Amino acid sequence: MSTYNGEKYLEKQVESIFSQDWPINELEHELSLFIRDDGSTDSTLSIIERLSSKYPIALAKSSGMNLGYAKSFLKVIEEAGDADWYVLCDQDDIWGPQKISSIFPEMRLDSTTPTLIYTDMVHFGKSNVRQLERNGADPQLFTDYRKALFEPRLNGNMTTINHELRKLVLEIWLKDGASEQCKAHDTFILRVASLFGNVKYVNVKDPSKVMLYRVEGQNLSADKKNTLFDKFTFFLNRSRVFNERASFCSFIANINDLERSMPQERLIFVKSVGKLSTSSRLYKFVHGFTFVRYQKNRIFKFAFIFWLASRSMKNV
C-alpha cells in the first residue's frame, strides 16, 4: 500500500485487510501489510504506527519522500522484500471478506511464470455497478496481451502479482528510460505481465464481497469524469494514450537482454507496434490498421483510426 494524507479512510481499510474469511495465518501462508507513505502531512503516519501494534504492518524506509502515486507504488513493491504473492492495495477502499479466498485457488497453481491475477469490484453505494462493466470492458479483455496493451488501464487495486512478476517488473523499471514509461504503476505492471507472463481473470459471483471501490473519496487515481465535456476531453486524450503505447513497445523492443524472456509471437507484436513511433507516414497509417481490431469497442476503434490519420500527417 502507498499512502498519502489518508487519515479519513485508512483505518477502515486496514481493518478490512485483516478481516478475511479464512484463517490465513493459521495455514502455510501469512498475510502482512507493507506500507510506504508518500509524504503525508496529516495523521496518516500516526495511524499506521498505532495499527502496527495490532497487526503485522511494516513501514518502508523510504517513507516521507514524495514520489507521486505511481513511483511510490513501485518503490513499495521494491522494498517489500520476498513473498510468494503481492496484493496491491489503495488506502481508501474496503476489502471484502473474500478478497484473498476468491483468488487463492489460482495462487496455488504454477508460481514459476510471471503471473497477474485480477477480479472485478463494485463501487461504494452502487452495489450493482461493477468496475469492468462500467468501463465497457469484457472482463476477460486483459487476458489477451494484444488488447491489454491498448486498453487504458486495469486498476491496480484489483490485481495480485506473484514473486516472478515482481522481479521482472523491477528489472524493467530500473532500466534507463523506464521511468518515462511509467505514468501509472498499474498500467506498467499489466503490460509487463501481458508480454512476459500470464494474466488471469477470476470471475466472482458477488464482487462486493471482494472489494468496494471508493471513487468519491481520496483515491488519487479515481476516474471522476462524468460530464459530456469530460468524456469528450477523454476521447481527445486518447492520442496521448496511443502515443504512450507505441513508445512503450519501442522501449521494450530495444531491451536486448529481455528478448529471451518473451514468447516469439509477442515479441513480433511488440516490435510491430513500436514501429508506429519510428516508421514513415504512409507506413504508419497502413500498418496501423492491423491494430484496429484490438481496440475494445467502436468508439475506441474510431479514436485509434483518428490517431493514425493525424499521426500520419506529421513527420514523427
Side-chain angles (χ1 to χ4, degrees):
M1 177 190 292
S2 174
T3 58
Y4 180 75
N5 290 346
E7 63 181 7
K8 187 175 182 180
Y9 302 113
L10 178 60
E11 185 162 358
K12 289 184 178 180
Q13 168 66 312
V14 173
E15 293 283 353
S16 73
I17 291 172
F18 292 101
S19 299
Q20 296 299 292
D21 65 356
W22 60 298
I24 300 173
N25 292 328
E26 294 180 14
L27 300 177
E28 69 271 24
H29 296 276
E30 294 184 355
L31 175 67
S32 60
L33 177 59
F34 197 79
I35 300 175
R36 182 188 184 278
D37 185 73
D38 201 33
S40 294
T41 57
D42 63 359
S43 61
T44 295
L45 284 171
S46 62
I47 293 173
I48 294 173
E49 183 178 1
R50 174 166 52 81
L51 292 174
S52 296
S53 64
K54 184 178 180 181
Y55 301 111
I57 299 174
L59 190 65
K61 293 181 179 179
S62 65
S63 292
M65 181 187 304
N66 185 266
L67 301 176
Y69 84 97
K71 293 181 180 179
S72 183
F73 259 105
L74 287 169
K75 191 66 176 175
V76 74
I77 291 172
E78 178 186 12
E79 295 187 15
D82 289 338
D84 295 318
W85 290 88
Y86 303 81
V87 187
L88 278 62
C89 177
D90 285 344
Q91 65 184 2
D92 54 0
D93 300 325
I94 296 290
W95 278 20
Q98 297 175 7
K99 171 68 174 177
I100 300 297
S101 62
S102 64
I103 61 174
F104 189 67
E106 286 291 344
M107 294 168 68
R108 302 191 72 163
L109 299 178
D110 175 31
S111 61
T112 61
T113 302
T115 301
L116 181 152
I117 302 172
Y118 69 98
T119 60
D120 210 340
M121 59 185 176
V122 299
H123 293 198
F124 268 102
K126 300 179 180 180
S127 59
N128 293 322
V129 179
R130 297 188 177 205
Q131 174 67 10
L132 292 175
E133 291 179 358
R134 175 180 180 271
N135 285 345
D138 174 358
Q140 299 276 3
L141 180 149
F142 299 100
T143 62
D144 184 330
Y145 71 91
R146 296 160 299 188
K147 294 181 179 179
L149 186 62
F150 285 103
E151 176 63 14
R153 66 183 300 218
L154 173 65
N155 294 64
N157 55 354
M158 299 164 67
T159 63
T160 299
I161 66 175
N162 69 353
H163 178 73
E164 292 302 315
L165 179 55
R166 170 186 176 262
K167 286 197 305 182
L168 190 56
V169 165
L170 293 177
E171 179 184 351
I172 296 175
W173 181 45
L174 295 175
K175 299 285 185 183
D176 290 338
S179 61
E180 298 174 7
Q181 305 296 330
C182 183
K183 301 296 187 294
H185 66 286
D186 40 19
T187 302
F188 185 78
I189 292 171
L190 172 65
R191 291 176 189 171
V192 174
S194 298
L195 295 176
F196 293 92
N198 294 326
V199 177
K200 299 181 178 181
Y201 170 64
V202 175
N203 188 19
V204 292
K205 292 183 179 179
D206 185 0
S208 67
K209 293 182 179 180
V210 174
M211 190 164 63
L212 298 178
Y213 179 42
R214 194 184 302 276
V215 177
E216 298 301 327
Q218 294 174 310
N219 189 307
L220 299 180
S221 62
D223 182 9
K224 302 179 183 179
K225 301 175 181 178
N226 296 317
T227 68
L228 182 61
F229 175 76
D230 285 330
K231 290 179 179 179
F232 178 70
T233 302
F234 174 75
F235 176 79
L236 293 180
N237 284 340
R238 290 300 299 171
S239 291
R240 174 185 57 80
V241 173
F242 292 134
N243 285 334
E244 289 178 356
R245 298 309 185 261
S247 175
F248 176 79
C249 287
S250 180
F251 167 75
I252 290 293
N254 286 299
I255 302 179
N256 295 327
D257 57 335
L258 287 178
E259 288 189 1
R260 66 183 185 280
S261 305
M262 192 186 305
Q264 187 64 23
E265 65 173 2
R266 301 185 191 184
L267 179 60
I268 293 172
F269 185 81
V270 165
K271 290 182 176 181
S272 187
V273 175
K275 287 182 180 179
L276 296 178
S277 293
T278 58
S279 54
S280 64
R281 297 179 186 180
L282 180 60
Y283 183 84
K284 285 188 182 82
F285 188 72
V286 176
H287 175 68
F289 259 88
T290 61
F291 306 113
V292 173
R293 56 182 161 170
Y294 302 123
Q295 313 310 312
K296 70 178 181 181
N297 57 38
R298 291 180 180 178
I299 294 176
F300 281 67
K301 288 177 180 178
F302 178 78
F304 185 74
I305 293 172
F306 177 81
W307 173 74
L308 283 176
S310 60
R311 191 173 179 85
S312 298
M313 296 178 195
K314 300 176 182 178
N315 190 24
V316 293

